[in-house]
Amino acid sequence: MAPAQSGTRNTATQARVDSWTWAVRLFKTRTAAAAACRGGHVRVNGAAAKPAHPVHPGDEIRIRTGGVERIVIVERIITKRVGPPVAAQCLIDRSPPPPPREILATMPRRDRGAGRPTKRERRETDRLLGRDEG
């Protein structure tokens, strides 16, 4: 039997990206975090990350969920889910502010199941998003 370590604190230097994003409350479940990683919605330092990708303090994590991108910097490594005040101390949130409600209200929306957009609707969307070529 190994002797018990008394009084030493186990401070991890790395953790899995799915475990860390779940622990700091960026996802509701670890399964959702892993699915986002597998779907290519999570990037660590600019590279797509699989669920087991290790994260270290100072890494930049970009998460795209619900059409919104979250950008966080890892401050502290944790692997167990904690309360919101503790989770806030484990990351630095560099996410851009959400667009004002006035702009969101003016963006065109298609009814669900309305089919593919027409050429005119694609042009309008490109113009709104700044992707027009001329």
Side-chain angles (χ1 to χ4, degrees), residues 103 106-110 115-133:
I103 292 175
T106 61
M107 291 206 57
R109 295 213 170 190
R110 294 184 54 79
R116 294 178 53 162
T118 63
K119 191 170 188 177
R120 179 180 180 189
E121 290 169 334
R122 284 196 309 268
R123 286 181 182 153
E124 289 173 355
T125 302
D126 288 343
R127 198 173 13 257
L128 279 171
L129 296 176
R131 296 187 299 214
D132 57 344
E133 296 177 6

Side-chain angles (χ1 to χ4, degrees), residues 13-18 20 44 52-57 59 61 74 77:
T13 58
Q14 69 181 18
R16 291 171 54 114
V17 69
D18 63 339
W20 187 84
V44 176
H53 187 90
V55 294
H56 307 278
D59 284 351
I61 299 178
V74 178
I77 299 295

Side-chain angles (χ1 to χ4, degrees), residues 18-100:
D18 63 339
S19 175
W20 187 84
T21 54
W22 165 76
V24 296
R25 298 178 165 265
L26 296 175
F27 290 101
K28 286 186 179 182
T29 64
R30 185 164 170 190
T31 304
C37 291
R38 281 191 297 277
H41 302 291
V42 178
R43 296 184 154 305
V44 176
N45 296 327
K50 292 184 178 180
H53 187 90
V55 294
H56 307 278
D59 284 351
E60 178 188 72
I61 299 178
R62 292 176 177 258
I63 300 170
R64 187 135 185 101
T65 56
V68 177
E69 185 172 44
R70 299 275 317 259
I71 303 169
V72 296
I73 309 293
V74 178
E75 271 290 298
R76 198 170 78 197
I77 299 295
I78 58 172
T79 55
K80 298 291 181 188
R81 194 163 171 96
V82 293
V86 178
Q89 296 172 356
C90 297
L91 58 91
I92 300 171
D93 195 356
R94 298 274 167 90
S95 302

